[in-house]
Amino acid sequence: MQGDLERVLFDEPTIFRRLDEIAAEISVDYRNRELTVIAVLNGSLMFMADLLRRIPLPLKLDCLSVASYHGKAQTSGEVNFNQVVAPDVKDRHVLILDDILDSGHTLAAIREKLETAQPRSIRVCVLLSKRKRRAREVNADYLGFEIEDEFVVGYGLDYHERYRNLPCIGVLRKELINVNEVNPHGLRG
Ligand code: IMP
Ligand code: MG
């Protein structure tokens, strides 16, 4: 799998050092508040597991998954929730965790959906953010790394569901990306 990478951006020790820093920040910010973490499946799985074990606070964990079709046949930025019932976050301090901020459609839609349930606060934490103009502006309150606008895989991130189990994050070799795709995202986050 690692041979499919054009180059490695972040190896495991680098990711873990950054997680130590973000976890410390979150632990200070939420020390007197009970946190509800909402992780976006599947991309944030590794990030969630490694980050939350570094946060020594009482917290609740819920997951949600979405199917986003933007960049595929439709260009509307439509985001469909796979759960019928949204997590109950009324009066809670919510922290949304996702793998990567790209166009912004996914996180903007998730944030809007959760806001309708009247949480006490909402913040967003992403491992990666692409440096680009977004279709929808989303502010990441906690960010692991900023990257250029390139397609990356590993550490939870996939290309057609592959590479999620790579321990590092790297740029996928261009010749492995189907040129007929407008945007090489799988249907599931
Ligand atoms: P957005 O809605 O365009 O911000 O994209 C969010 C989702 O698209 C992420 O949660 C990922 O699942 C996927 N995605 C965006 N960029 C990449 C990438 O470079 N590699 C793998 N998945 C990506
Ligand atoms: Mg994906």
Side-chain angles (χ1 to χ4, degrees):
M1 274 194 306
Q2 196 141 344
D4 290 356
L5 297 181
E6 188 180 290
R7 63 185 195 283
V8 173
L9 293 180
F10 309 107
D11 62 8
E12 203 172 28
T14 307
I15 295 169
F16 286 175
R17 274 198 303 275
R18 188 68 190 119
L19 294 193
D20 288 339
E21 294 170 356
I22 303 172
E25 239 184 279
I26 293 171
S27 303
V28 169
D29 292 353
Y30 287 90
R31 64 192 174 283
N32 298 318
R33 289 182 279 177
E34 208 193 332
L35 187 57
T36 298
V37 173
I38 306 285
V40 184
L41 299 176
N42 295 334
S44 72
L45 272 174
M46 316 287 166
F47 177 42
M48 170 193 75
D50 289 334
L51 182 74
L52 296 191
R53 280 179 293 178
R54 288 168 162 81
I55 299 178
L57 297 177
L59 59 80
K60 289 187 181 174
L61 171 63
D62 228 316
C63 298
L64 54 81
S65 68
V66 294
S68 38
Y69 297 91
H70 49 279
K72 290 271 177 179
Q74 291 104 315
T75 51
S76 60
E78 186 188 342
V79 175
N80 294 306
F81 289 81
N82 295 328
Q83 288 81 0
V84 180
V85 183
D88 179 20
V89 294
K90 190 168 168 38
D91 296 330
R92 308 279 315 173
H93 292 290
V94 171
L95 182 64
I96 304 169
L97 288 191
D98 204 358
D99 52 358
I100 190 166
L101 186 49
D102 185 16
S103 72
H105 280 302
T106 305
L107 275 168
I110 289 171
R111 202 190 161 117
E112 262 170 23
K113 170 108 173 173
L114 292 175
E115 266 162 5
T116 63
Q118 297 175 304
R120 194 167 298 174
S121 68
I122 295 198
R123 287 186 181 175
V124 171
C125 173
V126 287
L127 179 61
L128 303 172
S129 172
K130 289 190 189 175
R131 213 172 276 137
K132 68 191 286 187
R133 263 188 85 86
R134 297 191 209 296
R136 298 194 64 182
E137 211 35 69
V138 176
N139 177 46
D141 301 280
Y142 305 95
L143 166 63
F145 305 99
E146 226 184 5
I147 62 169
E148 294 307 319
D149 189 11
E150 293 181 296
F151 196 79
V152 295
V153 293
Y155 195 67
L157 291 132
D158 72 303
Y159 175 57
H160 292 306
E161 298 303 324
R162 292 184 63 202
Y163 306 106
R164 291 198 199 271
N165 57 326
L166 259 180
C168 62
I169 297 168
V171 178
L172 190 61
R173 279 174 29 211
K174 305 279 180 297
E175 66 269 28
L176 296 173
I177 298 176
N178 181 351
V179 290
N180 296 318
E181 288 172 288
V182 182
N183 206 339
H185 301 172
L187 287 184
R188 292 166 61 100

